[in-house]
Amino acid sequence: MFNREDLLFRDYCVTNKILTEDRWKQFVDTVTNYGMNDGFSKALIEFNFFSPEDLVHHIGKAFTLPVMKLYSETSSAPHEMLSVTFIRKHRVIPMFLFGNELTVAFIDPPYKNVLDELAKLTQKKIVPVISAVNDFDETLKIQQGGFDELKRIASAIDIQKFDVVRTGEKEVDRLEKIGEFPPLIMLIDEIFLRAIKIGASDIHIEPFEDELRLRFRLDGVLQRVASFPQKIAEGMAAVIKTKADMDIFEKKKPQDGRISLTLETRAFDLRVNSLPTVNGEKIVLRILNKSSINKKINDLGLATHNLAMLKHLLNQPNGLLLVTGPTGSGKTTTLYAAINHIKSVEKNIVTVENPVEYLVDTVNQVNVDPDRDLTFASALRAILRQDPDVVLVGEIRDSETGITATEAALTGHLVLSTLHTNDAVGAIPRLINMGVPSYWLAPALIGVVAQRLVRKICEYCKDEYQPTEEVFYRAGLSSLSGRAPFYRGTGCKRCNFQGYSGRLAIHEVIIVNDEIQNLIYQNETTTKIREAALKSGFRDLRFDGLKKVIAGLTTLDEIQRVTRSAL
């Protein structure tokens, strides 16, 4: 389980009284039960044996290596030296190349086998340095585009060449007549590749009277990619439906399907839905990146106090914990991160989903199948006879599911689920209106997390500016006018001239304390419940969003867009 260098670090810690023998034995017992999937250093931090700052300091001293701050050095990193597979597997980042010397950052002790493999792969002399885990993770996120093997896959088709808006309908017709219009199966594969390479979350293929429009949802916003001749709409729908195991002859009813796709070393699921329209079938594909399954709750971008409250809720032995927000706000990712946080061989965790989006080790997962009377409610009732410790219900969408989930929480189970509400407090009246009695909900509900996704300012064109006094006033930030720097993206090639690249979440977390429990029992208004929550430290989505604006992560416009605030 442990490498020679791990044991050398243990000896250093014991000799210098940083860890006792008993404390090391506790660590060994912990990783024996839970594993070290993310490596030695991350395990030491995750199981609270070291803080990131202390650990990097001691590894540096133990192996007489310099500690390097990586985040500010990303632009000079030689991106093409190593594959992303190697980087993730061995937790290393190449940082500098001077002549024949390649400086490589480690977070684990510098293992000899990794150093030898690096030297063999790069044909360079390897100079190891040590970096903190949190610094390493942030740097890797920034450099992802440079390291991502998907970026190296060349496009086989120039989609814009067949765009009737850009090229002209006559030119596209001419290309078709001379046999240069690509086969539909190749065109669809190119669309999938292009969407995944740029990080789109959804693909929309929409038939209109004069065109077949292709749009991608990127960072939460739909963008037109191309418009093809309308006459290929039926054929394109048939090819996609065939790939998704859908009925190509059924064109009058909505259908659902699924496509599994592997590009290089990364696996994706495409969730497909067809919808009959007056001009033909509209196809929407949701792209599910299976790497999302590995997220930890520390990676969700929660503010320190919100993260502490969520961890507290997940440590409860029973109760109902809800994650709320609109479609596409990252609720499923948060639930899977929560499951990753609490899963262990000592707990029986069962999920019921529609559909199961990602498979999780040691977790039993059930697919809803209404055609066979396997609904959320019926599956949940069956699960409760399976001696579960934790139950994840993909969504509470009806009275029966809401009541059954609440009953499960009251009978000694920790129940996690999602709900479509505008904010955390709104989950309470929503469940009561569904038919969950307030005298059941009050003792069952332990907390609610509400979230939204906002676009991040592009790091490559980030520029400081000062909003107008009117904007400050509407945002409630008049006191910061002229005192704090604000940022926005000016637009560049790397962000497709949008000024934004990637997304982050803003959150609000409510813990149901005795006062809020009594207010729920008494069927009090959401206003009174919100006031009680504020007294106990609750901060709303807008507050969390504005903190991230001031931190230079996003813009006031984005907070206005997702929180409906009048900035």
Side-chain angles (χ1 to χ4, degrees):
M1 180 184 297
F2 295 105
N3 291 304
R4 174 177 174 273
E5 290 80 4
D6 298 333
L7 300 178
L8 288 174
F9 181 68
R10 174 206 61 188
D11 295 342
Y12 161 85
C13 290
V14 172
T15 301
N16 290 278
K17 298 182 180 179
I18 298 160
L19 286 179
T20 63
E21 291 280 4
D22 287 343
R23 189 76 169 134
W24 172 258
K25 187 176 182 305
Q26 287 177 7
F27 177 65
V28 173
D29 292 342
T30 302
V31 297
T32 300
N33 288 324
Y34 297 98
M36 287 197 301
N37 293 333
D38 293 324
F40 181 70
S41 291
K42 286 194 174 182
L44 284 168
I45 293 168
E46 183 179 352
F47 300 125
N48 298 315
F49 288 85
F50 283 96
S51 70
E53 296 77 15
D54 288 343
L55 181 60
V56 68
H57 168 74
H58 289 304
I59 291 179
K61 288 193 71 174
F63 295 94
T64 322
L65 292 175
V67 174
M68 185 182 211
K69 294 281 187 182
L70 307 183
Y71 189 82
S72 60
E73 305 290 349
T74 57
S75 59
S76 58
H79 293 173
E80 303 301 321
M81 297 294 294
L82 298 172
S83 71
V84 68
T85 305
F86 187 94
I87 287 165
R88 288 175 176 160
K89 178 181 178 181
H90 297 292
R91 296 168 292 281
V92 295
I93 299 182
M95 292 305 298
F96 298 110
L97 179 61
F98 291 119
N100 195 48
E101 289 189 349
L102 177 65
T103 299
V104 179
F106 287 69
I107 55 172
D108 296 319
Y111 302 128
K112 184 180 184 301
N113 64 312
V114 178
L115 289 168
D116 291 345
E117 194 170 350
L118 280 166
K120 183 178 178 181
L121 280 172
T122 63
Q123 296 297 302
K124 306 292 181 186
K125 178 183 177 182
I126 305 302
V127 180
V129 296
I130 301 297
S131 67
V133 166
N134 47 2
D135 183 22
F136 182 96
D137 288 343
E138 287 302 312
T139 302
L140 190 55
K141 287 177 187 176
I142 291 176
Q143 293 191 350
Q144 194 73 45
F147 288 129
D148 199 335
E149 291 167 332
L150 294 178
K151 303 288 184 181
R152 304 178 189 179
I153 304 176
S155 293
I157 299 170
D158 181 2
I159 288 177
Q160 275 65 42
K161 185 178 178 181
F162 307 101
D163 182 352
V164 295
V165 173
R166 176 177 296 190
T167 306
E169 193 170 345
K170 289 184 179 179
E171 175 62 13
V172 175
D173 284 342
R174 187 188 72 81
L175 292 170
E176 183 182 15
K177 286 175 183 177
I178 64 175
E180 290 194 14
F181 198 94
L184 291 184
I185 192 166
M186 287 182 61
L187 180 59
I188 288 164
D189 287 344
E190 179 63 33
I191 289 169
F192 291 172
L193 173 62
R194 185 170 295 204
I196 289 170
K197 281 175 70 173
I198 69 169
S201 60
D202 300 87
I203 301 169
H204 289 239
I205 300 172
E206 307 163 308
F208 291 96
E209 187 175 356
D210 300 319
E211 63 176 302
L212 178 65
R213 186 180 300 161
L214 172 65
R215 294 194 290 174
F216 294 162
R217 188 175 295 280
L218 183 62
D219 295 336
V221 178
L222 275 172
Q223 299 178 12
R224 191 189 81 89
V225 178
S227 295
F228 303 116
Q230 210 279 345
K231 60 187 175 184
I232 72 168
E234 188 172 343
M236 187 172 283
V239 172
I240 293 173
K241 289 166 71 176
T242 300
K243 284 176 171 282
D245 291 326
M246 298 158 68
D247 185 352
I248 63 172
F249 300 107
E250 178 56 76
K251 303 173 185 178
K252 301 298 183 185
K253 294 180 181 178
Q255 293 187 64
D256 293 304
R258 197 164 189 158
I259 299 171
S260 293
L261 191 64
T262 300
L263 295 174
E264 293 295 336
T265 58
R266 292 171 62 182
F268 299 86
D269 274 343
L270 278 61
R271 208 163 61 196
V272 187
N273 177 264
S274 67
L275 179 70
T277 73
V278 293
N279 295 304
E281 288 183 284
K282 173 176 176 175
I283 306 288
V284 175
L285 302 99
R286 166 65 56 87
I287 301 170
L288 303 172
N289 185 348
K290 291 187 177 181
S291 64
S292 299
I293 187 60
N294 296 318
K295 275 194 178 289
K296 305 290 192 296
I297 59 173
N298 289 354
D299 301 329
L300 297 177
L302 287 136
T304 303
H305 66 286
N306 283 337
L307 180 61
M309 288 194 285
L310 178 56
K311 286 183 176 179
H312 169 77
L313 291 169
L314 291 173
N315 285 332
Q316 300 310 302
N318 55 68
L320 177 61
L321 172 58
L322 299 172
V323 180
T324 75
T327 300
S329 60
K331 300 187 297 295
T332 300
T333 298
T334 298
L335 283 181
Y336 275 105
I339 290 295
N340 280 330
H341 182 71
I342 59 180
K343 70 178 183 180
S344 77
V345 293
E346 299 166 352
K347 290 182 179 177
N348 178 19
I349 301 176
V350 188
T351 78
V352 52
E353 305 167 67
N354 184 25
V356 172
E357 294 191 358
Y358 306 105
L359 297 178
V360 187
D361 291 339
T362 75
V363 175
N364 303 284
Q365 296 172 271
V366 178
N367 251 325
V368 166
D369 188 353
D371 293 338
R372 299 181 180 178
D373 293 326
L374 186 61
T375 63
F376 277 114
S378 63
L380 184 53
R381 284 194 295 271
I383 287 168
L384 295 179
R385 296 191 289 273
Q386 290 275 315
D387 185 33
D389 297 293
V390 181
V391 180
L392 186 153
V393 182
E395 182 183 351
I396 295 176
R397 59 174 68 180
D398 55 49
S399 174
E400 188 180 11
T401 307
I403 290 171
T404 309
T406 306
E407 274 189 294
L410 286 171
T411 53
H413 308 92
L414 180 61
V415 180
L416 313 179
S417 190
T418 69
L419 200 63
H420 289 280
T421 63
N422 289 327
D423 56 21
V425 176
I428 295 167
R430 175 86 173 110
L431 284 172
I432 292 173
N433 291 337
M434 275 186 173
V436 179
S438 58
Y439 54 83
W440 278 13
L441 184 60
L445 187 66
I446 58 172
V448 185
V449 179
Q451 65 182 65
R452 298 287 189 281
L453 293 178
V454 296
R455 291 181 291 175
K456 292 171 62 178
I457 299 170
C458 174
E459 289 291 331
Y460 293 95
C461 60
K462 187 174 182 178
D463 191 36
E464 185 176 334
Y465 83 112
Q466 276 296 314
T468 64
E469 292 294 335
E470 181 183 1
V471 170
F472 275 121
Y473 176 76
R474 290 181 180 176
L477 299 174
S478 297
S479 61
L480 293 177
S481 178
R483 296 176 59 189
F486 285 75
Y487 298 90
R488 63 184 173 190
T490 58
C492 65
K493 189 174 181 180
R494 286 181 180 267
C495 63
N496 200 23
F497 301 99
Q498 299 297 307
Y500 298 98
S501 181
R503 289 191 289 177
L504 59 88
I506 58 174
H507 306 85
E508 59 184 32
V509 183
I510 284 181
I511 291 181
V512 178
N513 56 21
D514 290 343
E515 183 180 0
I516 294 175
Q517 190 178 93
N518 287 332
L519 292 172
I520 296 172
Y521 183 81
Q522 295 163 17
N523 244 329
E524 283 289 358
T525 64
T526 55
T527 302
K528 287 192 176 180
I529 293 172
R530 180 180 291 274
E531 289 172 355
L534 287 168
K535 284 194 296 184
S536 64
F538 168 73
R539 296 294 180 265
D540 64 13
L541 285 166
R542 179 174 163 77
F543 179 88
D544 191 41
L546 291 176
K547 281 185 66 177
K548 287 169 180 173
V549 169
I550 294 169
L553 300 175
T554 188
T555 64
L556 289 171
D557 288 340
E558 275 297 282
I559 302 306
Q560 179 183 5
R561 182 175 69 86
V562 302
T563 63
R564 299 189 304 165
S565 56
L567 300 186

